[in-house]
Amino acid sequence: MTDTPTRILDRLHAEALIENEERDWYRTGRIPCQDCGFTVRTKTLESLPEHGCTQRQQAKQEREAREAQ
């Protein structure tokens, strides 16, 4: 079982990473997609424009399956 200080530090680290991404988006207008990792230009953080996310995820899964064989 993880001790409380470690859980707190992990949560704070995760929050800091999110804040860094949002700050970078504010400066550049780009933010990485949390699902596929592709950096997308967007005007709002409400939703990302179409960027082939589903196709990227499917291609990644196929690559990983081939490598596992």
Side-chain angles (χ1 to χ4, degrees):
M1 183 172 173
T2 308
D3 62 338
T4 302
T6 302
R7 286 195 322 256
I8 292 170
L9 287 175
D10 289 346
R11 189 187 81 238
L12 291 173
H13 179 70
E15 289 174 1
L17 291 175
I18 291 169
E19 289 174 6
N20 287 343
E21 287 179 354
E22 290 176 358
R23 184 193 63 230
D24 291 346
W25 166 78
Y26 187 75
R27 282 192 356 248
T28 65
R30 296 179 178 268
I31 193 160
C33 173
Q34 294 296 318
D35 294 327
C36 69
F38 188 73
T39 303
V40 185
R41 180 173 293 279
T42 182
K43 293 183 180 188
T44 69
L45 294 178
E46 295 294 320
S47 64
L48 298 179
E50 180 58 40
H51 60 279
C53 186
T54 304
Q55 293 84 357
R56 289 176 204 283
Q57 289 181 41
Q58 184 177 4
K60 180 180 177 184
Q61 290 172 354
E62 291 171 359
R63 267 193 318 274
E64 289 173 349
R66 281 194 307 266
E67 291 172 358
Q69 294 176 348

